[in-house]
Amino acid sequence: MAATTGKDGVHSLERGRRGCEHYDRGCLLKAPCCDKFYTCRLCHDNHEDHQLDRFKVKEVQCINCEKIQHAQQTCEDCSTLFGEYYCSICHLFDKDKKQYHCENCGICRIGPKEDFFHCLKCNLCLAMNLQGKHKCIENVSRQNCPICLEDIHTSRVVAHVLPCGHLLHRTCYEEMLKEGYRCPLCMHSALDMTRYWRQLDNEVAQTPMPSEYQNVTVDILCNDCNGRSTVQFHILGMKCKICDSYNTAQAGGRRVPVNQQ
């Protein structure tokens, strides 16, 4: 049996699929805020004008025998398994996805746990291959995604860590790459652009500027290394002398040699 939503937003029981679009579970949560039954907090929040506090859930209802009882992993009357995974803190019931509860994050994460570590400065669980290899930004996960402006820390969508240390939802990151390559917050390159910069080197070499521009120089600021340099102006891009990036911006007017003025 599964939960369906009536006109008043209250869930009722009917025979059919187990759980909801968000989670596979054999019970309904009794929302402490409104005493209504929902399959999960997300279903509740989609139908109500307030949010369900997962940590305050005290009771659940079995979808098979309809027994209302204290939140627990197995029904005390009919032994229905409410979830292969159950967290008594978050009251998360779901299929086993190698979840674990992170005390520092305060919520459950999808594991396995041994593949992740909690960065105390970023205040976020990150993949082990990023340990000592990422740029820390204090409490970065408590900021909203700069693309969709929605929460990152408690989102069910995986977070993507940019080289600059900022976070995006992975889905937002993938959409961003269709339009550009720079972090929307600091303009740092969001991925390794080395191969593209070398291609741009070839294009610049094969595209000479008109004679009146060949000796024109400009001051530029690099968005990748934050360095400043003076380079020859080119319409295709201006390369940083410090880190060889073309992710640069003109920081001053063009300068023309005296003999060309």
Side-chain angles (χ1 to χ4, degrees), residues 148-162:
C148 67
L149 304 181
E150 294 185 1
D151 177 64
I152 290 179
H153 185 71
T154 62
S155 175
R156 297 179 70 242
V157 180
V158 175
H160 182 83
V161 185
L162 300 180

Side-chain angles (χ1 to χ4, degrees), residues 163-164 181-183 187-191 193 197 223-224 245 247:
C164 57
Y181 65 91
R182 295 183 291 194
C183 170
M187 306 302 286
H188 192 285
S189 294
L191 69 166
M193 297 291 290
W197 297 156
N223 291 317
D224 286 339
S245 169
N247 181 10

Side-chain angles (χ1 to χ4, degrees), residues 42-68:
L42 300 173
C43 291
H44 170 278
D45 294 351
N46 287 340
H47 289 91
E48 303 291 344
D49 59 2
H50 58 277
Q51 293 186 331
L52 187 157
D53 186 341
R54 72 185 87 181
F55 305 107
K56 293 183 178 179
V57 171
K58 300 297 183 185
E59 295 181 302
V60 297
Q61 183 179 29
C62 178
I63 64 169
N64 287 323
C65 70
E66 302 186 21
K67 169 76 173 181
I68 298 175

Side-chain angles (χ1 to χ4, degrees), residues 27 50 69 141 146 159 172 207 230:
C27 65
H50 58 277
Q69 56 201 278
S141 74
C172 293
T207 311
T230 300

Side-chain angles (χ1 to χ4, degrees), residues 179-216:
E179 304 293 335
Y181 65 91
R182 295 183 291 194
C183 170
L185 292 176
C186 67
M187 306 302 286
H188 192 285
S189 294
L191 69 166
D192 185 358
M193 297 291 290
T194 304
R195 180 178 297 181
Y196 179 71
W197 297 156
R198 300 297 75 81
Q199 292 177 354
L200 200 50
D201 279 342
N202 293 332
E203 292 179 18
V204 168
Q206 296 172 15
T207 311
M209 293 292 289
S211 57
E212 61 267 31
Y213 288 100
Q214 286 184 359
N215 295 316
V216 174

Side-chain angles (χ1 to χ4, degrees), residues 106-251:
I107 57 176
C108 291
R109 299 291 190 191
I110 294 179
K113 185 176 182 179
E114 57 269 22
D115 289 350
F116 295 86
F117 74 101
H118 185 90
C119 176
L120 293 175
K121 186 172 183 179
C122 294
N123 206 359
L124 178 70
C125 285
L126 299 172
M128 289 297 294
N129 60 11
L130 291 175
Q131 193 165 19
K133 300 178 182 178
H134 70 285
K135 182 178 180 179
C136 289
I137 297 179
E138 191 167 359
N139 288 325
V140 66
S141 74
R142 300 313 197 268
Q143 302 171 12
N144 288 342
C145 173
I147 300 293
C148 67
L149 304 181
E150 294 185 1
D151 177 64
I152 290 179
H153 185 71
T154 62
S155 175
R156 297 179 70 242
V157 180
V158 175
H160 182 83
V161 185
L162 300 180
C164 57
H166 291 121
L167 297 183
L168 306 176
H169 290 122
R170 181 171 293 279
T171 50
C172 293
Y173 169 74
E174 292 170 351
E175 286 298 313
M176 182 196 75
L177 291 183
K178 296 178 182 178
E179 304 293 335
Y181 65 91
R182 295 183 291 194
C183 170
L185 292 176
C186 67
M187 306 302 286
H188 192 285
S189 294
L191 69 166
D192 185 358
M193 297 291 290
T194 304
R195 180 178 297 181
Y196 179 71
W197 297 156
R198 300 297 75 81
Q199 292 177 354
L200 200 50
D201 279 342
N202 293 332
E203 292 179 18
V204 168
Q206 296 172 15
T207 311
M209 293 292 289
S211 57
E212 61 267 31
Y213 288 100
Q214 286 184 359
N215 295 316
V216 174
T217 61
V218 291
D219 295 327
I220 60 171
L221 173 65
C222 179
N223 291 317
D224 286 339
C225 72
N226 295 321
R228 292 177 177 270
S229 52
T230 300
V231 300
Q232 184 175 347
F233 173 77
H234 200 286
I235 193 66
L236 294 181
M238 290 163 285
K239 180 178 178 178
C240 174
K241 286 185 176 180
I242 302 171
C243 70
D244 293 336
S245 169
Y246 279 92
N247 181 10
T248 61
Q250 191 169 323

